[in-house]
Amino acid sequence: MFQALPKAIAFEEFLNWKPDGDRYELHDGVIVEMQPVGDHEEINGFLAGEITLEFKRLKLPYIIPKQALVKIPDKESGYSPDVIVINQNNLSAEPMWKKSSTVTEAASVPLVIEVVSTNWKDDYAHKLVDYETFGVPEYWIVDYLALGGRRYIGNPKQPTISVYCLVDGEYQVNLFRGSDRIISPTFPELNLTAEQIFQAGRYRKINYDRNADTPIGPRVTPN
C-alpha cells in the first residue's frame, strides 16, 4: 500500500528531505510513502533470506540492504525495491552510495524484486519500464494476490511470479505459478517454487523425534 504526497520535487531535494528509517520513493517528482502490509513483508523476508543463502553458498560479493534506492536516469524518480541484490564490487563506482545508499549504475544491481500491493500498476507499468531503461538484468514481480491485470498474469487471474530478463536491452518474461520452479538467470541453481514463495506468510513448524535431533516431517499451520 502507499500514500502519495503532493509536492513535486527534484531527486536531490528528495534525498535531503527523506527521513531515516521510513520507506519513501520518488515517482516523477512526487514523493510516495510505502506502507506494506504483513503478508507482503513476510514474503519479502522469506525471499531475502533464501536468496542470501544462495549467494553466500556461491561466495558471490552480494548483499541485500534493508533500504536502498535505485535512481532512474533522466527522471526525477528513485525506487526502494522490496528486495534488491547489490554487487559490492561495483559500489566504489557509485557516487551516491556512501551518503544516500543510492545506486545509479546497472552493474551494481543483479536482481530486483517487487512484491505486488494495491498499487500493482506501478510494478507492472512504471517500474517495469524504468528498470528496463536502467538496465536491471533481472526483475521479479511477485503477485501473490493476483492483483495484476490479465494482460500481465493471464485469464483467469491467479497468483503469479513474473521473471523479466534483459535481452538485447529489452525485457523478456516468463511466468511461474503453483509448483513451477523459478528459473533465475542470476541464480540458476536456486531451488524455489512459486507456491513456496506464496506460502511464505504461513508459520512453518517442524516436528522432532524426542529421541533424535533430526526432523521427522514438516507441518504447515496457517496464521
Side-chain angles (χ1 to χ4, degrees), residues 123-191:
D123 297 325
Y124 283 104
H126 307 300
K127 290 184 179 181
L128 176 64
V129 172
D130 286 344
Y131 287 143
E132 181 182 64
T133 300
F134 183 83
V136 173
E138 186 174 342
Y139 170 42
W140 296 16
I141 301 177
V142 179
D143 195 345
Y144 68 103
L145 293 175
L147 296 175
R150 291 175 178 82
R151 76 181 77 175
Y152 301 110
I153 61 175
N155 189 16
K157 299 206 295 186
Q158 57 186 306
T160 301
I161 297 175
S162 306
V163 175
Y164 290 85
C165 300
L166 205 61
V167 178
D168 296 329
E170 296 182 3
Y171 275 146
Q172 295 183 4
V173 63
N174 289 303
L175 306 181
F176 301 92
R177 306 179 181 95
S179 61
D180 295 340
R181 176 178 170 269
I182 306 300
I183 305 301
S184 166
T186 305
F187 300 107
E189 297 177 47
L190 185 67
N191 189 19

Side-chain angles (χ1 to χ4, degrees), residues 9 13-14 20 23-24 66 97 107 110 113-114 156 162 183 214:
I9 63 173
E13 293 178 276
F14 168 70
D20 293 335
R23 190 174 169 209
Y24 292 90
K66 185 176 180 180
W97 178 256
I113 299 175
E114 297 284 7
S162 306
I183 305 301
T214 55

Side-chain angles (χ1 to χ4, degrees), residues 11 15 63 65 67-73 77-79 81 84-88 90-91 93-98 100-110 112 131 134 136:
F11 186 73
L15 290 181
I63 58 170
Q67 292 189 28
L69 288 168
V70 177
K71 170 64 174 70
I72 305 304
S77 294
Y79 301 136
I84 179 171
V85 178
I86 295 288
N87 183 347
Q88 285 184 288
N90 201 62
L91 291 181
E94 287 287 359
M96 305 177 74
W97 178 256
K98 290 291 186 182
S100 61
S101 302
T102 298
V103 292
T104 60
E105 297 187 4
S108 301
V109 190
V112 160
Y131 287 143
F134 183 83
V136 173

